[in-house]
Amino acid sequence: MFVGAPTFGKFSDQYGRKFAFIISLTICFIASFASSFATNVESFAAARFFLGIGYCGNLITCTTLLVEFIPAQARGWYVALTSVAFGAGAIIISAISWAVIPTIGWQWLIRIAAFMTLPVLLFLCGIPESPRFLLSKKRYSKVMQVMQKVAKDNKTQLPPYFNEKTLISLSVDDGDYEKLSVRRSLSQLFTRKSLKVLGPLFLVWFTNSFATTIMNWIPLEAEKHFPKDEDIQFKTALILASGILIGSIAQTFVVERVSRLFQIRGGFVSAVVCTTLLGFANTPSGLYAASFFLCFFEQFVIGTLYLYTPELFQEDR
């Protein structure tokens, strides 16, 4: 994922959000499916490495594609809604794991999960490219095609002044704008003003990623600490997924009513408390409760970060 973020960030800026999304999902499918046939730890780790690249790529590109299509006033609710889908997917795959792993093995679980990407790839073929990206590449006729399709799907019409001629007249003949923008971005990156924003934001993203990675180990540790509780690892995974889903649903009600920073701070502090309680859980019920609320509050942090971060870097062009 560390490699996938900058790679697909640059790739999507160059070749488009939709194409980058399709490529990243294709990598996920191939790498995931290949990992199910691994014969040793080294080959399994190598396949999962490429899966991480693809997974991070589709996280970045799907969020960017969504944000660039949705009006600012409705953006928060739609981003929160995608988190609900993420939570629902977590519950489904947790339930499938419980049914598949004890019977036919973990390899088949990976294959089933891999093939779940195929319907998404087919669905992506019918999604238009981001008009914002097309506009940045001066593909004005394509912008009009996309916007006309969006207007038709919403049973409305574009205003008369929104046409290709107007887009061309409003464009700036910037020639080497992309090169200049990269130089400008690098020069602005290490200014005191930028560091005051990027420093805390980087720290929050780092600690959040650190915490979410640890969550993957909770079911395995539960099995070690409560060996007499049958299938506790699958029960814990379902509880964690339930926390994600319920937290995502709860966020849809507050995302546009409560400030972004309050959601991040409140969710972060609450998640820290739940993590501390998790460390002292000495019964399965205590483990379930702490795990559920940990994911519940963590979802407020994750969902808001995906919304708050791009809002800090609005284009001035």
Side-chain angles (χ1 to χ4, degrees):
M1 292 181 71
F2 182 79
V3 175
T7 300
F8 275 97
K10 181 64 176 177
F11 188 87
S12 66
D13 283 341
Q14 188 68 34
Y15 299 104
R17 319 306 190 201
K18 177 181 175 180
F19 184 59
F21 199 175
I22 291 173
I23 293 297
S24 65
L25 275 178
T26 302
I27 292 174
C28 285
F29 170 72
I30 295 173
S32 181
F33 190 69
S35 69
S36 70
F37 294 97
T39 56
N40 51 55
V41 173
E42 290 77 14
S43 59
F44 182 77
R48 302 306 280 188
F49 170 80
F50 287 103
L51 173 62
I53 293 176
Y55 176 65
C56 191
N58 71 62
L59 276 179
I60 291 173
T61 52
C62 76
T63 303
T64 305
L65 189 61
L66 175 67
V67 168
E68 292 182 347
F69 257 109
I70 304 301
Q73 61 270 23
R75 189 176 298 156
W77 190 82
Y78 279 97
V79 171
L81 195 61
T82 60
S83 297
V84 175
F86 190 88
I91 283 187
I92 292 171
I93 197 63
S94 297
I96 293 175
S97 300
W98 197 346
V100 171
I101 293 179
T103 54
I104 57 177
W106 61 267
Q107 294 93 337
W108 277 104
L109 173 67
I110 293 177
R111 290 163 195 163
I112 291 170
F115 276 100
M116 284 182 175
T117 62
L118 296 182
V120 181
L121 284 169
L122 293 175
F123 178 74
L124 278 175
C125 294
I127 293 179
E129 179 57 88
S130 162
R132 190 183 186 95
F133 166 77
L134 295 171
L135 194 61
S136 71
K137 297 298 181 180
K138 299 186 178 182
R139 296 166 62 181
Y140 304 114
S141 60
K142 192 65 177 178
V143 172
M144 291 305 304
Q145 291 178 23
V146 171
M147 296 307 296
Q148 286 166 358
K149 183 181 186 303
V150 171
K152 182 179 179 181
D153 291 342
N154 286 275
K155 298 180 180 179
T156 186
Q157 292 183 345
L158 295 174
Y161 59 81
F162 192 91
N163 53 59
E164 188 173 345
K165 184 177 180 180
T166 303
L167 292 176
I168 294 173
S169 66
L170 293 174
S171 67
V172 179
D173 187 12
D174 47 20
D176 295 326
Y177 174 77
E178 291 186 3
K179 294 180 180 179
L180 292 172
S181 65
V182 170
R183 294 170 188 168
R184 185 181 64 181
S185 297
L186 289 174
S187 65
Q188 291 179 345
L189 181 62
F190 297 102
T191 62
R192 180 176 297 180
K193 182 179 178 181
S194 295
L195 290 175
K196 286 178 66 176
V197 176
L198 288 173
L201 191 62
F202 174 85
L203 184 62
V204 172
W205 272 106
F206 174 82
T207 53
N208 183 72
S209 298
F210 189 83
T212 52
T213 302
I214 290 177
M215 286 182 192
N216 297 328
W217 294 91
I218 294 177
L220 298 176
E221 291 300 315
E223 186 179 17
K224 293 179 183 178
H225 286 78
F226 305 103
K228 295 182 180 180
D229 195 311
E230 188 178 0
D231 293 334
I232 191 172
Q233 68 274 31
F234 299 112
K235 296 175 186 176
T236 305
L238 272 173
I239 292 293
L240 290 167
S242 299
I244 295 173
L245 178 60
I246 303 301
S248 301
I249 294 173
Q251 193 189 21
T252 62
F253 292 98
V254 302
V255 65
E256 295 298 353
R257 293 182 174 90
V258 181
S259 72
R260 312 286 195 234
L261 284 177
F262 184 84
Q263 291 180 66
I264 293 174
R265 291 166 180 166
F268 194 86
V269 172
S270 300
V272 169
V273 172
C274 292
T275 304
T276 304
L277 293 175
L278 181 64
F280 289 98
N282 53 16
T283 63
S285 58
L287 170 71
Y288 296 151
S291 298
F292 175 85
F293 285 106
L294 170 60
C295 284
F296 178 88
F297 290 115
E298 178 64 16
Q299 198 55 43
F300 280 84
V301 181
I302 296 173
T304 310
L305 277 175
Y306 274 107
L307 184 61
Y308 179 69
T309 302
E311 289 178 345
L312 282 179
F313 302 98
Q314 298 292 335
E315 292 186 4
D316 56 0
R317 180 175 178 244

